Amino acid sequence: MIFKGAATTAVAGAASPALLSGSPAAAQMPGTGGLITYAMDATSRTYLAKADGTPIREMSYSTKVSWSPDGSRYVHGQIVGSERTDGSDPVLNLHGSYPSPVYDPTGRFVYWIGVYSTSIMYIGADGSWAGHSAKFYEEPSQQQAIQYIAVAPGGTVFFTRGHPGNNSVLYRVTSASTSVQVLADAYEPDISPDGSTIAFQREAYVSVDGGYWPGAQLWLANIDGSNPRQITFPETHGLLNRSASWSPDGTTLLFNAGHPTTWRTGALKRLTVASGAITQVVGDGLLPSQQPVKQTKDTVRRVWGDDQILTAVAASRYAFADHGSAGDPRPKAAAVVLSRADLYYDALGGSALAVARQAPLLITGNRTLDPKVLAEIGRVLAPGGTVYVLGGELALPRGIETSLTAAGYKTKRIGGADQFDTAVRIAREMSARPTTVVLATAHMYYDALAAGATLGVLPDQVLVLCDGHRMPASTAAYLNGIDPDTQDVVCVGGWALPALQNAYAAGMLPSWDTRDGYVYEASGERAEDTAIAVAKFFWTSPNRFAVATTSTWFDALTGGAAIGTARGPLLITAPNALDPAVRSYLSACSPTAAEVVMLGGRLALPEAMVAKLGAAIAEPGGWQSAETTPSSPAPAGQAQSLRAAGGRESSLAAAKPPVPRPRPDRVQVR
């Protein structure tokens, strides 16, 4: 059973939109040449068109469109959902018709007006919150309806309430239940890409054929409401001008120029803000919006080496800087995790440990320390640093520890009687009292690898293992010390929940008798689906992703630790083609996606997959390819963590939502 939108409140991806933000402008990426949308009264349909108004296709929904910050998707109000520019890969978050959905500046969330129009809700844009939402703001008086939402590039949310015309007032949200007035008599606001100016309309009754009709004119004001100035006039521009929409470069506005007596009709026109010049785009155009054009390109990066050991070295080089470097965009390693290269059992919990300790996960032959591995340890870890050695001496003999000590490093071995005991010992090393415990089988290693890549992003999240439907004694003893009423237990994959239920029925969890015993589940019919379910459970619209093949385990193991360090999930696909479910998930995350990492060489993931991944995360021409190998030079750039590279990713570890992220239903173990 997959719980779409599942998440624990302690999870890294559970960040919500900020109430007020001083971050750089990002709501509309600057650029030129974007597409436009508009509705036609003659057909009652919405059209995607070229900038000159030439229609490209009829869109699926006849409502105003709000574009994601990168322009790869649009959200519409007949449902809270989105589509790609070509209408493909729809994402449905909520059934029903909800007014005024709009992306937040990161592309991670969508705001919409809640039931009874007295609240502003938000939801994950990628479908990971499907069917669930959280309240961002609620009108304390609940006397007047919220009409329209606008979001500034820095993240501040504005809305209007009242009625069109003199009774419509623009407010700025300051907390979950408070707002301040910005402008009186302001309707349909739209905020410029640089965040400095609000475009809006004001009603002005006009005399037509002996009667008074509600007309409207366009105005601009500073973002704080100061310096309001009129920019269209009835004498020169017509009697009813409304629905202004900024261009991504902030130089022009699209608007509808109509007539009060036939308010649904009117021409779509473009106004140049600096000069006041106006040109007609089409003769019938309502509710315009303009696609932002992203200037930077997303990246599909292959991380690989000639064998599994060198691919692990390449993954380490992708994720971590030289220990003595300055100005490297990659973080410095705080430790190293080392496991054997021929078997995965001891290392299933190693990805989580590596991410938690900000360490690369390297693998070596099980007799001596591979010189290439020692060289990589020397690159990333300063002398005196700690190397965690996974497994007993039959897995990695004492001579490997001796080699590490001779090279100037401290060692700490974590090993148990078997892989299950080793996973428990790793979990205890990571946290004395975890907030989240993930259970996965050691048989289907991809379940554990997908979970391990995510765990460790925040403290106190650990992984333990079951043996198919059987619960090993060491794992049962560990789980018996967990309180499922106050600590989250997540069963990953189809084996974990039955193993937990069997253990309870066998009396292996006596402390759970006094508990409710409810746990979460994240699983799918296939290993590929389970990895996606794990990604949706723990993340909302990540910036980075890794893709590994189902044909081997080592690329997913070592590369999973690297992508966890870069704050992203691990996905898997068959080696011959990109799995359709993986492609759809990546497409749903396109507004935030900056990079997809392909783990392994061309025998693991063919070159033809590069273009398919690029098309999944970016618009045509909006992606580039790159490679990281064991000999790749350090990337150029200012000193910053990969966790925040690209400017669109917030600090996940520091994010504190105003309310908890919606939780799914849980399954009772009894």
Side-chain angles (χ1 to χ4, degrees), residues 351-418:
S351 289
L353 176 66
V355 177
R357 293 293 183 267
Q358 194 166 306
L361 175 52
L362 299 172
I363 54 177
T364 184
N366 66 334
R367 293 190 177 183
T368 60
L369 182 61
D370 191 298
K372 299 183 289 293
V373 175
L374 181 59
E376 180 62 12
I377 294 173
R379 184 188 72 83
V380 299
L381 192 61
T386 298
V387 179
Y388 291 91
V389 179
L390 301 184
E393 292 185 10
L394 291 178
L396 292 177
R398 185 177 295 274
I400 289 179
E401 288 184 275
T402 302
S403 297
L404 290 167
T405 302
Y409 300 104
K410 301 174 184 176
T411 62
K412 186 169 186 177
R413 184 180 291 272
I414 306 177
D418 53 28

Side-chain angles (χ1 to χ4, degrees), residues 272-327:
T272 301
V273 176
S275 66
I278 291 180
T279 58
Q280 180 165 305
V281 180
V282 292
D284 182 0
L286 307 164
L287 304 174
S289 68
Q290 305 197 56
Q291 179 194 30
V293 178
K294 184 177 176 181
Q295 289 185 311
T296 59
K297 291 188 175 184
D298 296 335
T299 301
V300 179
R301 178 180 300 276
R302 187 184 295 275
V303 175
W304 71 287
D306 289 336
D307 57 26
Q308 66 264 41
I309 291 176
L310 286 175
T311 294
V313 171
S316 174
R317 182 168 287 273
Y318 163 76
F320 293 100
D322 296 3
H323 70 78
S325 67

Side-chain angles (χ1 to χ4, degrees), residues 70 294 296-303 318-319 330 541-547 562-563 565-569 571 585-586 589-599 613-614 616-618 622-628 635 642-643 645-646 648-649:
D70 72 330
K294 184 177 176 181
T296 59
K297 291 188 175 184
D298 296 335
T299 301
V300 179
R301 178 180 300 276
R302 187 184 295 275
V303 175
Y318 163 76
R330 300 165 295 179
S541 297
N543 294 96
R544 287 178 172 79
F545 310 80
V547 177
I563 200 63
T565 297
R567 298 315 197 244
L571 307 171
Y585 171 66
L586 290 171
C589 297
S590 62
T592 57
E595 184 174 58
V596 175
V597 176
M598 302 173 65
L599 299 173
L613 289 168
I617 63 171
W623 62 275
Q624 60 189 351
S625 62
E627 291 192 358
T628 297
L642 274 176
R643 303 167 193 175
R648 301 205 310 276
E649 183 175 2

Side-chain angles (χ1 to χ4, degrees), residues 478-490:
Y478 180 84
L479 291 172
N480 193 52
I482 297 298
D483 179 0
D485 291 350
T486 60
Q487 295 168 278
D488 292 328
V489 177
V490 185

Side-chain angles (χ1 to χ4, degrees), residues 431-443:
S431 177
R433 192 183 189 281
T435 59
T436 304
V437 178
V438 169
L439 177 67
T441 181
H443 289 178

